Amino acid sequence: MEAAKVDPLSPLLWAQGSWRYFIAGRLPDAIAAAHRVLELTTVGDPPRVYAAYYLALAGERDEAIRIFEAESVALGDSPYGLIALFLSRALQQDAAGAAGVVTPLLEKAAHWTEYLGGFLADGYALINQHDKALFWLRSAVERGFINYPYIAEIDPFLESLRGNKDYAKDF
């Protein structure tokens, strides 16, 4: 990963690399980069939430859930703590538990930041709350998330939406 040559100790660069590897279908590299984020950080550091997300995307759901749970405790009622708990519950198919942690603070943060909206879209898709998933996916796109191939074909968490007529129309 070229960016890591510039700053090999930046967990955010490794997180970005993990996502890029995932997009390219290089799952072992995506997992290794996510693990590097974990090596460079301690519990309570927001890049660990990204690492857990990329591990979940790459099929390492049990590990992702463990990390999300630890981060949700460490980060508390902050947007990162709440999104970690939301994604943990969504990965466990706990619809009520996931929806119960979506607070006005988290929604406000997700309206400001495209990737948090994308995380909400993924989680809601995982628990089959398609209207909310589509709402947050549209919000993410409106805020600047423009990776069409990822939305249309790659993101495994959006699979349940791909047959939806509104999804097909918009994405």
Side-chain angles (χ1 to χ4, degrees), residues 72-107:
S72 72
V73 171
L75 295 167
D77 289 336
S78 72
Y80 281 100
L82 294 169
I83 202 71
L85 188 56
F86 172 77
L87 288 169
S88 173
R89 297 299 184 260
L91 286 167
Q92 296 175 68
Q93 297 296 295
D94 177 2
V101 300
V102 178
T103 65
L105 172 66
L106 178 54
E107 288 181 334

Side-chain angles (χ1 to χ4, degrees), residues 5-21:
K5 291 177 184 176
V6 175
D7 187 357
L9 300 179
S10 171
L12 288 174
L13 288 178
W14 284 101
Q16 187 178 59
S18 181
W19 189 72
R20 288 181 177 172
Y21 286 137

Side-chain angles (χ1 to χ4, degrees), residues 15-112:
Q16 187 178 59
S18 181
W19 189 72
R20 288 181 177 172
Y21 286 137
F22 176 77
I23 295 288
R26 296 171 55 184
L27 298 187
D29 291 328
I31 292 167
H35 285 149
R36 185 67 178 136
V37 172
L38 300 174
E39 292 167 6
L40 292 169
T41 58
T42 58
V43 174
D45 197 345
R48 295 174 71 86
V49 175
Y50 301 124
Y53 176 75
Y54 303 134
L55 288 168
L57 286 174
E60 301 293 321
R61 288 187 179 205
D62 290 339
E63 183 179 9
I65 290 167
R66 284 192 303 276
I67 296 164
F68 281 139
E69 290 290 323
E71 295 310 312
S72 72
V73 171
L75 295 167
D77 289 336
S78 72
Y80 281 100
L82 294 169
I83 202 71
L85 188 56
F86 172 77
L87 288 169
S88 173
R89 297 299 184 260
L91 286 167
Q92 296 175 68
Q93 297 296 295
D94 177 2
V101 300
V102 178
T103 65
L105 172 66
L106 178 54
E107 288 181 334
K108 187 174 187 177
H111 276 297
W112 290 340

